[in-house]
Amino acid sequence: MRQMISRLEKTTALDAVSDRLQSAVQAVARPKRLRDLLHGTWLGHPLHPVLVQVPVGAFMSAAVLDALPGQRKAATTLIAVGTAAAAPAIAAGWVDWSSLSRDQRRIGLIHATANAVALGLYAGSLVARSSGRWGRGRLLAYAGLSVAGGGAYLGGHLSYEQGAGMNVAAPEKLRLPADWAEVGEVASLPEGRPTVRTIDGVRVLLYRVGDDVTAMVEQCGHQGGPLGEGEIEGSGADACVVCPWHGSTFRLTDGVVQHGPAAGDQPTLRTRIRDGVLSIATP
Ligand code: FES
């Protein structure tokens, strides 16, 4: 299985289709509000894995009921609920997929294809059940569950092996000192624009306005983009940094994500100024 997945990750034959689909999804989901809604930026957590709980739960429960006598109607209702609930999960999944790297998109494409096949099998099961062919309906539903299981395996690989949807900045913060570490003279920091210093091998983004300095992990939580090369939007307590790779926007004072594709906040650090020297520490 591992060898097969590793081959799929390198299958460049999928790239032409993947690139065209990516442009199409980005064109459809152009409004920022729609993208933020589907990424889960408002939730502080990717929305896709939350939404898939409904169809997965409904299909699993239907599989149990299909194995019991006298539960045909209940199983059919659950399959109908699962099939309908797949629509928002699919929409969120495609929007997340459209901002992934190429190798992640290859696995994502196969994950989506497997789930589309599974959904087709469940739709076929509903049609069969509606015309009284319960045996066929049950077989199609079990086939759908098997294919969906393969799709879920690939989704797990995408998240836990390839890091899609993870906050990649979180492990960086753990490498920073819990005790105060000196960064240097505050006066040496440029005013009103981001600058980067390396502390214990971790790049830290500093932003100074007068004697106020904010600090956050410089590697963007979405896919590791260089926030130090990002634009600053807004001013004062609302000033934000915009990631140059995919446009995730984080408030500098507290790292709260304002726009996706990042769904989680950017880790920030405590700052302290003594005798004109800036120090940072993890919260
Ligand atoms: S790396 Fe994707 S938004 Fe920053």
Side-chain angles (χ1 to χ4, degrees):
M1 186 66 102
R2 283 184 182 156
Q3 278 176 353
M4 187 188 79
I5 290 192
S6 140
R7 269 203 301 276
L8 289 175
E9 280 175 11
K10 299 182 184 82
T11 308
T12 54
L14 293 173
D15 291 348
V17 176
S18 169
D19 289 351
R20 272 200 295 275
L21 267 173
Q22 183 188 35
S23 305
V25 173
Q26 286 174 344
V28 171
R30 188 169 294 282
K32 227 178 206 177
R33 277 190 180 187
L34 176 64
R35 286 205 311 270
D36 286 343
L37 174 76
L38 292 171
H39 282 309
T41 303
W42 55 277
L43 186 63
H45 189 286
L47 187 60
H48 176 66
V50 177
L51 293 178
V52 297
Q53 303 307 313
V54 183
V56 167
F59 292 151
M60 292 290 291
S61 305
V64 174
L65 292 182
D66 264 343
L68 300 175
Q71 300 294 335
R72 286 172 174 173
K73 281 193 177 164
T76 304
T77 303
L78 281 172
I79 289 175
V81 167
T83 305
I90 290 169
W94 277 115
V95 170
D96 284 350
W97 173 87
S98 70
S99 59
L100 296 180
S101 65
R102 262 198 165 161
D103 57 332
Q104 291 171 331
R105 274 190 282 127
R106 288 174 196 142
I107 296 295
L109 204 53
I110 303 164
H111 164 73
T113 305
N115 288 336
V117 171
L119 211 55
L121 289 164
Y122 274 113
S125 171
L126 281 177
V127 171
R129 286 162 196 258
S130 68
S131 55
R133 288 172 293 169
W134 298 102
R136 176 181 291 215
R138 218 163 33 192
L139 276 180
L140 285 169
Y142 281 129
L145 191 64
S146 307
V147 178
Y153 183 94
L154 291 170
H157 180 84
L158 192 54
S159 291
Y160 302 118
E161 290 295 322
Q162 293 185 291
M166 314 269 280
N167 187 336
V168 300
E172 290 295 288
K173 186 171 126 179
L174 298 177
R175 293 169 54 207
L176 284 163
D179 287 333
W180 293 106
E182 283 193 6
V183 177
E185 300 278 333
V186 176
S188 69
L189 301 176
E191 180 137 6
R193 70 195 158 81
T195 188
V196 178
R197 296 283 191 276
T198 302
I199 312 290
D200 285 4
V202 177
R203 287 166 63 83
V204 175
L205 179 84
L206 302 168
Y207 181 70
R208 174 189 166 214
V209 177
D211 280 341
D212 288 330
V213 181
T214 59
M216 61 170 55
V217 173
E218 196 256 348
Q219 189 179 345
C220 174
H222 175 235
Q223 298 243 306
L227 292 179
E229 295 170 24
E231 299 280 323
I232 298 295
E233 266 183 5
S235 58
D238 291 328
C240 293
V241 61
V242 182
C243 179
W245 282 10
H246 310 104
S248 288
T249 305
F250 305 99
R251 195 160 56 205
L252 285 154
T253 47
D254 53 11
V256 171
V257 62
Q258 307 293 302
H259 297 295
D265 299 337
Q266 188 67 12
T268 51
L269 307 161
R270 289 183 293 155
T271 59
R272 179 182 80 180
I273 298 169
R274 285 210 180 141
D275 301 326
V277 174
L278 172 71
S279 300
I280 61 148
T282 52

